[in-house]
Amino acid sequence: MTSPLLRVNPGDIISATAWNGIVDTLNEALLRIQALESGGPGTGLAITQLVPAGPYRIGDTLQILGQNFQFSAGAARVFLNATQVLNLLPGSSDTQLRFVIPNVSGVLEAGTVVDLVVFNQSQSVTRQVVLRPQQNPLQGNISIEWLSVTPATVVPGQPASFFYRITSGTNNLATWALTAMVDTAGNAAAWNSQLRVLDGLGNELSTRQITLSPGQQATVQIQIPNVPAVANGTTFGVTLSADASTITGTSGIRQFVVGTPTPPPDQSISLLADPLASQGALSGNTLTVPGGQNRRLAFTATFTVAGIYTITRSVLGGATGWAINLDDGTIDTIQINPGDLTTGSTARPLSYRVAATATATANAQIQIRIQRQGNTAVYSAVYNTVRA
């Protein structure tokens, strides 16, 4: 028996999941009504249900339930638009047809309405389904940039919110599990036990998840409702990480000092990792280096303000056996002249060699910091490293 639809209260947020549940229920009801109107459980060809309810992707397995498909007589045929399903799966019968959805031309990621047509020897019946392209394995990366802290001076006994920009660089829509952590020398539990993860508008993300399309950006904030009673000058670090499938991204450990104003990040700079130039060692936000060897880590840095920029490299978190060195053609000082910015920005390639000894810490984080001379703001990016 189908579960009844749940009612909502005034002010409730109607999510995509809830709405799609209503649509799926209505579509199933329409199929059943149409089957009854065509004569019910008689001798005519009928589709009574599609399992699952959809929408579908090319490559999904679909089961059509109904009657008089004439499968045992070899007369059952299935088409999606003009594409015929050539192989019906074991378990198919006169009352159910199972198959893998074949490649159908013209299908878009947003969803394309396709005619699903079932034939027997003398009849046909048509239903419309929403079809999307085949979902390829998730590839690419996720970047997390620290934006600001409110208030700029963290004070004991008061709330503090740390804002981050998350940018998807993947090939598919993905739901990211968010992990927030405070690292401090003492009483870390008092900090971490009260952490909240919110969206950019201040709504709590109770599941600590966010869904992003390829190239989409979102603002996320980590909130400490009540900064523990510690002395001014106490240093603590905040990290935000995002995970989906095999891809992990991290903001790295951003250090703050209680009672001391925090300078903002330099948002005139951006840094984009280049997996191709990194020769396959970089997957998502993680660089894999065999013990006793080194691997290239390549970037494209984009600048929008003229000046002289100093780049520093470091290994974070006390990891041992790791080093990040300059690759050929990369220097630690870059000069951007006004004439370089005729289009508003200019890009520079950066390349480093990340080395791990045979006994290096299994996991580490490396940080790239870029600062324009005379500017207090600093751009930083953090990447995970794994010793293979």
Side-chain angles (χ1 to χ4, degrees):
M1 179 178 177
T2 302
S3 300
L5 296 176
L6 299 178
R7 299 178 66 84
V8 297
N9 298 312
D12 286 353
I13 297 175
I14 300 177
S15 66
T17 300
W19 179 256
N20 288 336
I22 295 172
V23 172
D24 291 343
T25 301
L26 290 174
N27 284 336
E28 182 177 340
L30 287 172
L31 285 175
R32 293 177 179 272
I33 291 170
Q34 289 169 347
L36 290 172
E37 290 176 343
S38 67
T43 59
L45 174 63
I47 296 174
T48 58
Q49 189 177 0
L50 301 178
V51 181
Y56 311 98
R57 287 189 180 274
I58 291 170
D60 288 350
T61 297
L62 176 59
Q63 181 176 254
I64 304 174
L65 302 182
Q67 63 186 34
N68 201 30
F69 294 143
Q70 297 180 351
F71 174 81
S72 57
R77 291 171 294 150
V78 180
F79 284 81
L80 289 157
N81 285 349
T83 301
Q84 183 174 3
V85 175
L86 298 178
N87 297 298
L88 294 174
L89 298 176
S92 296
S93 67
D94 290 344
T95 57
Q96 65 174 347
L97 301 174
R98 298 181 66 249
F99 58 91
V100 175
I101 297 175
N103 187 37
V104 178
S105 62
V107 172
L108 304 177
E109 179 59 36
T112 300
V113 176
V114 171
D115 285 336
L116 171 65
V117 187
V118 177
F119 292 87
N120 65 11
Q121 191 169 13
S122 59
Q123 298 173 293
S124 69
V125 61
T126 301
R127 296 290 180 264
Q128 289 190 321
V129 297
V130 176
L131 189 58
R132 295 185 174 125
Q134 186 167 14
Q135 186 83 65
N136 295 318
L138 190 66
Q139 298 176 342
N141 58 63
I142 187 83
S143 66
I144 305 177
E145 303 170 77
W146 176 70
L147 298 178
S148 63
V149 57
T150 301
T153 302
V154 177
V155 179
Q158 298 294 320
S161 294
F162 305 84
F163 291 80
Y164 295 83
R165 180 192 295 121
I166 302 180
T167 304
S168 171
T170 61
N171 58 331
N172 296 326
L173 179 81
T175 297
W176 301 89
L178 304 177
T179 302
M181 186 179 69
V182 171
D183 179 36
T184 184
N187 202 17
W191 296 75
N192 286 291
S193 62
Q194 58 173 314
L195 290 183
R196 301 173 66 209
V197 179
L198 315 174
D199 65 17
L201 299 176
N203 301 307
E204 184 167 11
L205 300 173
S206 57
T207 61
R208 296 198 175 188
Q209 293 182 329
I210 189 169
T211 300
L212 298 175
S213 299
Q216 185 179 0
Q217 293 183 332
T219 300
V220 169
Q221 53 179 304
I222 300 172
Q223 185 184 81
I224 303 174
N226 186 37
V227 175
V230 296
N232 284 340
T234 299
T235 298
F236 66 96
V238 180
T239 304
L240 177 63
S241 301
D243 296 272
S245 184
T246 59
I247 300 174
T248 298
T250 178
S251 65
I253 302 174
R254 177 78 190 192
Q255 299 290 338
F256 302 89
V257 180
V258 175
T260 299
T262 303
D266 191 341
Q267 297 189 46
S268 71
I269 306 169
S270 63
L271 196 64
L272 181 64
D274 188 340
L276 184 61
S278 298
Q279 300 174 333
L282 182 66
S283 177
N285 205 57
T286 300
L287 185 78
T288 300
V289 182
Q293 300 183 35
N294 67 77
R295 289 294 183 268
R296 177 179 292 163
L297 180 59
F299 302 94
T300 297
T302 301
F303 302 88
T304 58
V305 176
I308 298 175
Y309 292 83
T310 301
I311 304 174
T312 56
R313 301 154 276 122
S314 59
V315 178
L316 303 178
T320 59
W322 289 90
I324 175 169
N325 304 307
L326 292 173
D327 199 4
D328 293 341
T330 299
I331 57 177
D332 281 331
T333 301
I334 296 177
Q335 182 165 342
I336 305 298
N337 299 312
D340 297 325
L341 303 172
T342 55
T343 61
S345 65
T346 186
R348 296 290 187 274
L350 303 177
S351 182
Y352 302 94
R353 285 285 175 178
V354 179
T357 66
T359 58
T361 308
N363 300 283
Q365 290 184 332
I366 56 176
Q367 182 180 56
I368 307 291
R369 288 168 51 93
I370 307 176
Q371 185 171 21
R372 178 163 48 88
Q373 292 182 11
N375 188 20
T376 58
V378 178
Y379 178 90
S380 65
V382 176
Y383 284 80
N384 301 316
T385 56
V386 175
R387 175 176 55 79

